[in-house]
């Protein structure tokens, strides 16, 4: 274990994007560019407002996302990736590609995971 408490680089990366929602928010910003809160909520299917607020705050605290307040009425705030966040998104791209390539296999139950009752 390192001085910071990580076993390896993957452990460190997962500490930033751990959990389903932060990863999906990060990915949507990488694919679509800067977005407002409501746009992100529509892009990340199934996320609640409370969870999105928390994910954005965490990503902002980790310097993955920057929040830009345009000081307008009605309020206009956009979230975008920092260069640090863009680098993380690029590092995660192969994982996303692997998921697309194996999506059918992942969503198809295997006999071992759903045994048939006698």
């Amino acid at each position: 274990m390192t001085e910071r408490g990580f076993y390896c680089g993957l452990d460190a990366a997962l500490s930033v994007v751990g959990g389903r929602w932060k990863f999906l928010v990060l990915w949507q910003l990488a694919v679509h560019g800067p977005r407002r809160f409501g746009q992100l909520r529509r892009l990340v299917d199934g996320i609640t407002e409370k969870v999105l607020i928390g994910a954005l705050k965490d990503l902002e605290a980790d310097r993955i996302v920057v929040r830009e307040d345009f000081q307008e009425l009605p309020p206009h705030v956009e979230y975008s990736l920092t260069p640090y966040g863009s680098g993380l998104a690029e590092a995660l791209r192969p994982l996303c590609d692997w998921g697309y390539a194996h999506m059918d296999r992942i969503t198809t139950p295997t006999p071992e995971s759903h045994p048939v009752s006698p």
Side-chain angles (χ1 to χ4, degrees), residues 27 88-101:
W27 193 252
L88 179 58
E90 276 305 306
L92 293 172
R93 183 173 297 281
L95 182 60
C96 188
D97 292 342
W98 183 90
Y100 278 124

Side-chain angles (χ1 to χ4, degrees), residues 61-101:
D62 288 331
R63 297 181 312 256
I64 300 298
V65 167
V66 64
R67 179 183 186 271
E68 185 175 2
D69 187 344
F70 289 85
Q71 299 295 317
E72 296 177 357
L73 286 175
H76 180 179
V77 175
E78 284 186 355
Y79 297 89
S80 60
L81 293 179
T82 63
Y84 182 59
S86 294
L88 179 58
E90 276 305 306
L92 293 172
R93 183 173 297 281
L95 182 60
C96 188
D97 292 342
W98 183 90
Y100 278 124

Side-chain angles (χ1 to χ4, degrees), residues 26-82:
L26 167 77
W27 193 252
Q28 291 301 327
L29 288 171
V31 171
H32 297 286
R35 289 288 174 246
R36 296 175 79 165
F37 182 86
Q39 293 171 316
L40 280 172
R41 184 149 183 231
R42 287 187 291 278
L43 286 169
V44 183
D45 190 37
I47 195 168
T48 66
E49 189 170 312
K50 178 181 177 182
V51 171
L52 179 56
I53 290 168
L56 287 167
K57 284 183 178 182
D58 288 347
L59 290 169
E60 190 177 4
D62 288 331
R63 297 181 312 256
I64 300 298
V65 167
V66 64
R67 179 183 186 271
E68 185 175 2
D69 187 344
F70 289 85
Q71 299 295 317
E72 296 177 357
L73 286 175
H76 180 179
V77 175
E78 284 186 355
Y79 297 89
S80 60
L81 293 179
T82 63

Side-chain angles (χ1 to χ4, degrees), residues 2 6-16 88:
T2 66
F6 300 121
Y7 291 101
C8 64
L10 182 59
D11 188 23
L14 289 175
S15 75
V16 175
L88 179 58

